[in-house]
Amino acid sequence: MTDEPRLSAQDMIERLSPALSPRTRIRAVTALLAGAAGAVFVGALWWTEPGPLPGRTHLAFALFTAFCLAWAAYGGWLLTRRVPLFATDRVIAAWIGLAASLATTAVLTVVAAQRGTGVGPVLAVGGGFVAVALVLVVRAQARRAALLRRRRELSGAQPGRTS
Amino acid sequence: MTDELLVVRAQLGERAALAELLARWQVPVWTYVRRMLDADRADDVSQEIWLAVVRGLPRLRDPERFAPWLFTIARRSVTDRLRGEYSQAEERSGAADAAVEDPAEAMVDRAALVSVLSDLPVLEREILVLFYLEDLPVEECAYICRIPAGTVKSRLNRARRLLRDHLEEKGYRP
């Protein structure tokens, strides 16, 4: 009977490193952002297209939107299920989300204004994205602040220990 | 440094704290898994548990309850492997668990315990490992196994009785 784990703690950390690597996070965030922005962009183009469109163009728009949504869903799945996002990562991710929402809304508004179609719907959709992103920023900041406070309290309880 | 502080630091994203937490708890987790499963599966299952821990850690709401949370995850991985044995054992144990007996904190010799543990049924084996090898209090054992504390005590009693029988069969004198 072997009574020692075959893997040392160091080996275990190394085996876990794919889940902790920044590369997986960046891939997940990129897929989510590019997918969501692409879907909104293509959706807006489709929606604001002046004049009746042939059936094939509708199909192309639908396929492209679905493709973008699939990437966004993959990114979202990676971020929520596969990649652990710790408090600081969440703050960064939320700010990236806010920046991307603002950028997408701005680009879409400019495009809609240039094409002479109404900017109202674009602003409504973009505004929705920005609002959700803002809520995520506030939540992430609050969670991180709470953890930092707890760390200070716990470190304070151990004299001579700084962390 | 307390586990809670390490968990909070790991939740903030400090890799060193995560590594220290793993170094501190790797052997206890492995011990639990090894006593429940054979040696071949113990390392793989341990790795699976740690992956689930790393993925779930950002969502852990009570950092001071890290140990019971950790063993809940470990138990889930082990029960997945022993599904058949667990369902049989739970059917059989229903009536016996109802009676709460005096826990009678009899001392159990660790070496003797380990030597016959693998012969015991899963539910009794699990409770002995958590209580005697992992030194977890009755309330935490109850939380991990999702049973009332009274059931933990009666199960421990039965487990000790079985243990004594097995040890006597093997020629140990209590």
Side-chain angles (χ1 to χ4, degrees):
Chain A
M1 187 189 284
T2 55
D3 266 359
E4 288 285 318
R6 282 181 217 149
L7 296 173
S8 68
Q10 191 53 42
D11 294 336
M12 190 64 90
I13 279 281
E14 276 164 25
R15 293 212 180 183
L16 295 176
S17 58
L20 292 166
S21 78
R23 202 179 298 166
T24 323
R25 270 149 233 265
I26 292 169
R27 208 174 64 208
V29 170
T30 311
L32 177 62
L33 288 181
V40 170
F41 191 70
V42 176
L45 278 183
W46 189 8
W47 191 7
T48 57
E49 198 61 45
L53 291 173
R56 214 176 286 171
T57 316
H58 273 303
L59 183 68
F61 268 127
L63 281 178
F64 208 69
T65 310
F67 175 74
C68 289
L69 284 176
W71 273 107
Y74 171 65
W77 172 78
L78 271 184
L79 279 182
T80 51
R81 297 272 159 247
R82 299 275 113 182
V83 185
L85 277 192
F86 294 101
T88 309
D89 306 327
R90 266 168 212 255
V91 171
I92 297 169
W95 279 108
I96 293 176
L98 182 62
S101 307
L102 282 170
T104 310
T105 310
V107 169
L108 281 175
T109 312
V110 169
V111 170
Q114 276 178 353
R115 291 165 61 124
T117 50
V119 293
V122 169
L123 283 178
V125 174
F129 268 79
V130 172
V132 171
L134 261 177
V135 170
L136 291 177
V137 168
V138 170
R139 275 183 45 182
Q141 294 275 23
R143 169 95 175 119
R144 180 160 182 271
L147 283 172
L148 284 172
R149 204 163 48 238
R150 191 77 192 119
R151 187 178 75 176
R152 259 198 315 278
E153 285 166 12
L154 290 169
S155 308
Q158 299 181 337
R161 181 113 226 171
T162 51
S163 62
Chain B
M1 194 179 303
T2 61
D3 279 344
E4 186 182 357
L5 179 54
L6 276 180
V7 171
V8 168
R9 287 178 49 200
Q11 285 185 323
L12 279 163
E14 290 180 35
R15 290 287 177 277
L18 185 63
E20 198 174 331
L21 207 54
L22 195 146
R24 192 178 282 189
W25 283 96
Q26 196 212 4
V27 171
V29 167
W30 184 88
T31 303
Y32 167 72
V33 176
R34 176 63 190 91
R35 293 302 147 229
M36 299 304 293
L37 301 172
D38 50 82
D40 289 340
R41 290 188 287 182
D43 290 283
D44 283 348
V45 173
S46 295
Q47 190 184 336
E48 179 187 302
I49 292 166
W50 281 106
L51 193 57
V53 167
V54 165
R55 283 184 181 146
L57 196 61
R59 286 191 296 276
L60 172 62
R61 285 287 146 188
D62 295 322
E64 73 272 25
R65 293 188 51 75
F66 175 73
W69 175 79
L70 172 66
F71 280 102
T72 308
I73 292 178
R75 183 176 188 263
R76 201 181 307 140
S77 288
V78 168
T79 42
D80 280 350
R81 298 299 193 296
L82 297 177
R83 205 165 280 288
E85 277 185 61
Y86 266 95
S87 57
Q88 268 179 11
E90 269 156 19
E91 262 172 38
R92 175 179 57 71
S93 78
D97 277 344
V100 179
E101 295 167 40
D102 174 28
E105 296 295 323
M107 287 303 289
V108 170
D109 176 31
R110 280 177 176 237
L113 174 62
V114 168
S115 72
V116 293
L117 211 45
S118 57
D119 300 333
L120 299 186
V122 273
L123 294 181
E124 286 73 17
R125 186 158 84 222
E126 168 183 86
I127 210 73
L128 287 173
V129 173
L130 292 174
F131 189 79
Y132 287 108
L133 295 186
E134 306 293 354
D135 288 322
L136 293 168
V138 168
E139 294 71 33
E140 293 193 356
C141 294
Y143 173 84
I144 294 162
C145 300
R146 298 201 201 155
I147 50 176
T151 310
V152 172
K153 291 178 188 169
S154 61
R155 208 171 271 182
L156 269 173
N157 256 359
R158 197 170 56 243
R160 276 192 291 259
R161 221 167 32 239
L162 280 172
L163 189 65
R164 201 166 43 236
D165 294 348
H166 276 82
L167 286 174
E168 280 172 5
E169 262 174 41
K170 287 200 170 188
Y172 284 92
R173 286 282 121 204

